[in-house]
Amino acid sequence: MNSDNSLISDAKNTWCPGCGNFAIQHAVKSVIEELEKEGVQREEFVLVSGIGCHAKIVDYFNLNSFYSLHGRTIPVATGIKMANPDLKVICFAGDGDLYAEGLDHLIHAAKRNIDITVICHNNRVYGLTTGQYTPTSPYGFRGKSTPDGIHEPPLNIIEMLLGSGASFVARAYSKKIPHLRRIIREAIMHPGFAHIDVLQICATFFNMTRFYDEQTYESSEANVSQFDVACRTGQQWDYSDQGPIPLGIFYKTFRTPLPEKREEREIDRLKAVRTILQNYS
Amino acid sequence: MTDFSVLIGGKAGDGISQAGQIIGSVFASMGYHVYQYTDYPSLIRGGHNFCIIRAADHPVTAFRSHVDVILAFDQQTVNFHSHRLVPDGEIIFDSNRAKAKGIGVSLASYVDRFQGLPIMGNTAMIGALSGYLGISWEVIEPVLTKKMTKKTEDNLKIARAAFDEILKKTSIDKTGENSRPFMSGNEWIGLGLLAGGLDAYVAYPMTPSSGVLHFLADVAKETDIIVYHPESEIAVILMAMGLAYAGKKTAIGTSGGGFCLMTEGLSFAGQAEIPVVIIVSQRTGPSTGLPTYTGQSDLLFVRHAGQGEFPRWIAAPATPSEAFRLSAMAVKIAWKFQIPAFILSDKSFSEGIFTGDINPGIPDNPVEVSPSFPYRRYEDAADGISPILAPPVHGEVIKVNSYTHDFRGITTEDPGMTVTMAMKRKKKNDALKDLIDNPENVCISGKKDATICIVCWGSVRGQVTEAANDLDVRIVSPLILEPFPIITFQNAMKGVTKLLVVEESANGQIDKILKEHGFFPDELLLRCDGRPSTVEELQEKIRRHI
Ligand SMILES: Cc1ncc(C[n+]2csc(CCOP(=O)(O)OP(=O)(O)O)c2C)c(N)n1
Ligand code: SF4
Ligand SMILES: [Mg+2]
């Protein structure tokens, strides 16, 4: 039994001052505390991270965690959930991590509706590798690998997720913490694949605080189960440098999630092996 | 001594492989030892396919240059393979599609007589062969009934008519021994995994490894395992990491190209100390290579794959019973040492079909050390092995990490801890070495006191053993290639003055490992065309070098 009851570990925090990751950590902590009060056991949570600034979050939580590889949160989380459907599995991914290196997994996770929660720390830059463009950086973004600016438009990840069959799609902003908290909670409680694209401030390499403060607004969630409404909300902002930027749950629907409940069975393995041999004789 | 071979050939789409398997099953049901080789190009329709089915009164894991009967569905089969026929052999051919000296059978006429489907021509061929060989209908009928679950009645009628109407030439009897299980190498591997306590199998299809996936998917319900085919090999190995972290004994399978994609995950398994069993079934490389042909050129790749240094276990079975034992052992080893454990197979073994004699036992579970609390996932120990727990454990935190980490699994860059963790992995390797260095894991065959020795590994051993049968050579074949069972191997090599290596590669692979351990081969007898050698071909080659 761990004597220290804190949700936060004693690992040294190395995020830059002003980094939006603190807010995400804080929001997640509050949600877990809330859920604990409602009877969820702390050890039922498993946090999975990729590699990047965002990923350090798993070291900072005193919770079960799986610090995986760059781009690979989703297959790991999928395996954990399939092994034990009772665990609450949350991915902490970066935009380079999830939308570049591991994009294929995201599409397939949405398609198969695996019952995990994905939080993308979308700072629209590679933070840990000191400032290169990502799939959601705006057109013309000048980074260390693209000094003349990029000539490709950003990927509208919301549209992509809707097109891939995600059953829960949301956007939040690291400076609107109560809103972020509510969305994280709903995502965790959603039965099926839940994705939150969190616009996260990178204080060092891409500080969009003023733009986001001015342009983000909480959009209506009255028609949250209507796919065409979700698509229109998703299309309102294309990750360019022009707002306005809707926040909130854009889409939420019920579709039978993976893994389906496995019935508990007592099987004598040796007997099963013998039967198979018999069938092949 | 009975040693009888049938070659069956035709176009992809003729059902050659299925017909071959049924013929093999007929012999297996009569108590013969059977080996079937299937040769097919990477096409679904049209190309030339053939199988050689060999039945004998002793275990066989190779095929010979000559055959006793050829079953030809088309002219190509006659043209390509007639030279293999023994002097008193027979060609039974489809008289609608081929001309030959032998017995013509109009397959279509049997199919039409019972309004069957064109594919049922192969049923007629099986009937004809059985009639010709004088196998009793009581033997054929149950095998056909079991194997042909669709349109069974029609198939039986077609087979019976062809069986009755062909001239009986010989009379092959039951051996008096029990029917033997007849399964592909991939299936023997899958069965071993199950016996070892497998909970989950994840794979992306890739010849020649897919047979394991298909087999385990087929038996998943009756064995209560999870079988999943995700979007890529990268997903495969990382899903396996997730499954294993959450307590499921997991295996994955692929061939060279897919394994390339897995290497980052492999290194992760080494760093995070997460157990996984990996089946790598080799094809002819490099790159896509010859997808449906064999090779042994991935040994060094599998041995060295992944950045950084971490222990791994690699076993290469050559027989069904070895595949069963080693695959079961792989699960145990992976979980005891929390490392990647490999079964290194190849097309010849994976897709070869063999009768096997095993009495399936379940290997003992290695003693597990119980954890102390508060739990630390990477607690150090004399043998470097930490107690492993899966979440959820009430009041405890279980952290795994791809970064260099401390005992709790939290990232560190501390030089001292970096060394501690490197030594922890090294200690595990040493403990593993001690465990595997025993006579069970080095097979010695041939003339055990001969001074000329052939070293070989994996599927090739079957060919070498038979080829060297009448020769004055010793055959030494390690079953475990990493860590190398060096003391046992040294003992097996005592008195050897000339060392040959037989391997299916262009440059030699195992010779590099032998050199590391102070053994310098005199000759490498290599082959890299993707085709396994017949017993006679290899014998000829060995003769020239001794
Ligand atoms: C396979 C692989 N390629 C490259 C890297 C180097 N790398 C580490 S973090 C990172 C980018 C991180 O960007 P993002 O995912 O957006 O996370 P952030 O740091 O912005 O939170 C890269 C490229 C790596 N660790 N692994
Ligand atoms: S580089 Fe950016 S994302 Fe990374 S810690 Fe600093 S502020 Fe945060
Ligand atoms: Mg980023």
Side-chain angles (χ1 to χ4, degrees):
Chain A
M1 193 63 89
N2 253 329
S3 53
D4 184 1
N5 198 35
S6 169
L7 272 177
I8 303 299
S9 77
D10 57 17
K12 185 166 179 276
N13 194 306
T14 56
W15 285 324
C16 310
C19 174
N21 282 321
F22 287 107
I24 298 176
Q25 183 193 15
H26 198 81
V28 170
K29 176 173 174 276
S30 320
V31 171
I32 291 178
E33 280 166 354
E34 247 171 62
L35 292 173
E36 267 195 297
K37 282 196 198 112
E38 292 162 27
V40 179
Q41 298 291 313
R42 186 179 285 205
E43 60 271 10
E44 286 170 32
F45 291 95
V46 178
L47 316 183
V48 181
S49 75
I51 298 291
C53 294
H54 64 275
K56 298 176 180 179
I57 197 167
V58 299
D59 272 348
Y60 303 156
F61 273 115
N62 195 20
L63 290 170
N64 295 325
S65 67
F66 192 121
Y67 207 144
S68 81
L69 294 173
H70 188 50
R72 311 300 168 201
T73 52
I74 285 185
V76 167
T78 304
I80 296 171
K81 188 71 186 182
M82 280 184 170
N84 186 348
D86 295 331
L87 294 170
K88 294 200 174 341
V89 188
I90 308 171
C91 293
F92 298 90
D95 49 324
D97 183 76
L98 186 65
Y99 301 155
E101 189 86 47
L103 182 63
D104 53 340
H105 307 306
L106 177 62
I107 293 171
H108 289 277
K111 167 179 174 283
R112 64 173 72 105
N113 201 28
I114 179 80
D115 187 12
I116 60 175
T117 302
V118 177
I119 299 176
C120 183
H121 302 223
N122 189 357
N123 54 7
R124 303 169 72 202
V125 71
Y126 288 112
L128 194 63
T129 49
T130 67
Q132 299 87 1
Y133 83 101
T134 74
T136 49
S137 304
Y139 189 89
F141 179 93
R142 288 172 200 273
K144 287 187 176 165
S145 60
T146 53
D148 297 333
I150 46 169
H151 298 285
E152 38 187 285
L155 183 61
N156 185 338
I157 213 71
I158 303 292
E159 273 189 301
M160 195 214 71
L161 283 159
L162 290 168
S164 307
S167 58
F168 182 108
V169 181
R171 184 191 289 133
Y173 171 34
S174 63
K175 294 205 103 171
K176 295 198 167 161
I177 296 183
H179 178 260
L180 173 64
R181 215 163 38 216
R182 174 177 68 81
I183 291 195
I184 291 175
R185 187 193 158 97
E186 287 213 33
I188 292 174
M189 300 317 287
H190 175 71
F193 180 79
H195 186 97
I196 315 171
D197 186 56
V198 182
L199 300 174
Q200 175 230 317
I201 297 303
C202 171
T204 306
F205 296 108
F206 196 39
N207 197 335
M208 299 288 279
T209 308
R210 244 187 69 197
F211 174 63
Y212 292 156
D213 281 351
E214 282 169 15
Q215 298 297 332
T216 56
Y217 73 96
E218 288 179 32
S219 73
S220 157
E221 292 177 9
N223 297 310
V224 79
S225 62
Q226 287 180 24
F227 187 75
D228 52 334
V229 176
C231 292
R232 282 199 298 276
T233 318
Q235 281 163 351
Q236 268 182 35
W237 183 53
D238 59 3
Y239 290 77
S240 67
D241 45 17
Q242 307 282 314
I245 306 174
L247 301 177
I249 300 170
F250 298 167
Y251 189 55
K252 186 177 162 180
T253 188
F254 179 79
R255 192 153 67 80
T256 307
L258 204 77
E260 285 169 55
K261 270 268 173 243
R262 284 165 66 85
E263 42 184 303
E264 289 291 325
R265 288 189 298 162
E266 272 303 317
I267 287 190
D268 178 345
R269 183 56 70 80
L270 188 56
K271 209 167 124 198
V273 166
R274 290 215 173 100
T275 310
I276 294 169
L277 269 175
Q278 208 103 72
N279 292 341
Y280 277 82
S281 297
Chain B
M1 198 174 88
T2 310
D3 191 342
F4 189 84
S5 297
V6 178
L7 183 147
I8 175 168
K11 289 203 175 15
D14 283 337
I16 299 302
S17 159
Q18 193 209 11
Q21 272 185 58
I22 293 176
I23 295 166
S25 300
V26 168
F27 287 120
S29 78
M30 295 163 82
Y32 287 100
H33 298 269
V34 186
Y35 167 68
Q36 177 180 335
Y37 168 72
T38 305
D39 188 300
Y40 65 105
S42 188
L43 298 168
I44 301 301
R45 302 235 170 263
H48 177 64
N49 282 13
F50 71 95
C51 302
I52 296 178
I53 302 107
R54 184 175 170 203
D57 51 15
H58 54 279
V60 279
T61 50
F63 61 94
R64 318 197 60 149
S65 292
H66 57 258
V67 297
D68 299 280
V69 176
I70 292 176
L71 305 176
F73 283 77
D74 63 357
Q75 194 62 42
Q76 273 190 332
T77 306
V78 176
N79 299 349
F80 289 172
H81 301 291
S82 290
H83 69 276
R84 293 177 183 264
L85 205 62
V86 295
D88 62 343
E90 193 77 72
I91 302 184
I92 302 175
F93 59 95
D94 182 354
S95 57
N96 305 110
R97 286 165 64 189
K99 281 199 182 66
K101 258 205 341 255
I103 306 175
V105 178
S106 168
L107 300 180
S109 74
Y110 290 108
V111 172
D112 292 346
R113 202 186 302 168
F114 301 98
Q115 286 94 44
L117 304 169
I119 185 80
M120 294 179 185
N122 68 25
T123 312
M125 192 63 108
I126 294 166
L129 173 74
S130 312
Y132 171 83
L133 294 178
I135 298 172
S136 83
W137 181 252
E138 283 66 47
V139 170
I140 316 296
E141 189 180 355
V143 176
L144 286 181
T145 308
K146 194 164 175 179
K147 299 280 168 185
M148 298 191 148
T149 47
K150 284 186 205 138
K151 300 206 182 276
T152 312
E153 281 310 307
D154 294 347
N155 274 306
L156 283 173
K157 280 184 207 150
I158 290 171
R160 180 74 208 219
F163 174 88
D164 285 339
E165 288 167 28
I166 198 164
L167 218 62
K168 171 173 153 178
K169 163 104 178 271
T170 53
S171 161
I172 293 193
D173 286 329
K174 288 192 180 182
T175 57
E177 289 184 40
N178 285 341
S179 167
R180 296 174 194 279
F182 185 53
M183 303 171 75
S184 71
N186 279 334
E187 289 163 345
W188 285 110
I189 291 170
L191 200 68
L193 295 174
L194 290 171
L198 191 79
D199 297 312
Y201 188 76
V202 192
Y204 188 87
M206 189 166 189
T207 306
S209 67
S210 306
V212 184
L213 172 64
H214 300 164
F215 169 72
L216 290 173
D218 195 42
V219 301
K221 285 206 186 73
E222 64 200 89
T223 53
D224 199 27
I225 61 168
I226 299 170
V227 176
Y228 201 72
H229 153 191
E231 62 272 18
S232 68
E233 287 86 353
I234 296 178
V236 165
I237 190 162
L238 284 138
M239 269 188 198
M241 292 296 103
L243 282 154
Y245 167 77
K248 297 287 181 204
K249 297 189 168 67
T250 305
I252 60 181
T254 186
S255 186
F259 182 60
C260 289
L261 295 181
M262 289 180 178
T263 51
E264 195 191 15
L266 174 71
S267 181
F268 174 86
Q271 169 75 286
E273 304 192 37
I274 297 187
V276 61
V277 175
I278 307 176
I279 316 296
V280 178
S281 183
Q282 302 162 101
R283 48 162 78 177
T284 322
S287 193
T288 308
L290 303 180
T292 60
Y293 290 93
T294 201
Q296 294 190 299
S297 53
D298 296 338
L299 170 59
L300 294 177
F301 173 43
V302 169
R303 187 175 184 241
H304 296 282
Q307 73 272 32
E309 299 162 307
F310 55 92
R312 72 191 75 193
W313 179 91
I314 305 173
T319 66
S321 55
E322 285 173 10
F324 182 83
R325 175 176 76 84
L326 293 170
S327 303
M329 191 169 157
V331 180
K332 304 288 177 188
I333 293 277
W335 277 76
K336 175 166 172 61
F337 291 91
Q338 301 159 36
I339 56 166
F342 288 90
I343 295 294
L344 187 54
S345 179
D346 58 34
K347 140 80 200 218
S348 296
F349 187 75
S350 281
E351 297 193 346
I353 311 179
F354 310 82
T355 48
D357 290 300
I358 59 158
N359 179 18
I362 292 193
D364 289 340
N365 277 318
V367 217
E368 278 174 27
V369 204
S370 31
S372 52
F373 298 100
Y375 180 71
R376 302 198 297 179
R377 176 63 187 82
Y378 298 105
E379 195 72 64
D380 204 1
D383 57 5
I385 303 170
S386 320
I388 188 168
L389 288 181
V393 178
H394 184 62
E396 303 299 332
V397 170
I398 303 171
K399 284 183 171 304
V400 295
N401 197 336
S402 69
Y403 279 101
T404 299
H405 43 259
D406 64 14
F407 300 122
R408 299 175 298 170
I410 289 179
T411 308
T412 180
E413 295 187 339
D414 177 71
M417 187 52 78
T418 307
V419 174
T420 302
M421 286 297 163
M423 291 306 120
K424 181 179 189 296
R425 292 189 291 273
K426 202 171 160 158
K427 285 188 283 185
K428 293 204 297 183
N429 197 42
D430 292 342
L432 181 61
K433 238 185 227 165
D434 290 345
L435 185 80
I436 59 94
D437 203 342
N438 64 58
E440 207 181 27
N441 295 326
V442 179
C443 169
I444 311 174
S445 52
K447 304 250 173 352
K448 297 192 179 170
D449 53 359
T451 56
I452 301 176
C453 176
I454 297 176
V455 168
C456 59
W457 61 280
S459 69
V460 169
R461 192 199 319 140
Q463 303 151 24
V464 175
T465 310
E466 269 203 68
N469 208 12
D470 312 323
L471 308 175
D472 195 20
V473 297
R474 180 189 318 188
I475 300 153
V476 175
S477 170
L479 274 60
I480 294 188
L481 297 157
E482 176 66 32
F484 198 71
I486 183 61
I487 297 170
T488 313
F489 186 78
Q490 278 165 347
N491 288 336
M493 296 295 286
K494 281 207 177 111
V496 169
T497 54
K498 182 165 186 178
L499 175 55
L500 308 178
V501 164
V502 176
E503 189 178 78
E504 288 168 341
S505 68
N507 299 328
Q509 302 256 325
I510 197 170
D511 57 304
K512 313 292 185 297
I513 300 178
L514 297 181
K515 282 179 197 158
E516 268 179 34
H517 293 101
F519 293 93
F520 295 85
D522 296 287
E523 300 279 354
L524 304 182
L525 279 52
L526 305 178
R527 174 165 195 164
C528 62
D529 62 355
R531 273 67 178 177
S533 301
T534 67
V535 171
E536 288 78 8
E537 281 168 352
L538 196 56
Q539 194 166 52
E540 174 65 31
K541 213 165 172 178
I542 295 171
R543 275 223 167 88
R544 270 187 271 129
H545 288 90
I546 59 175

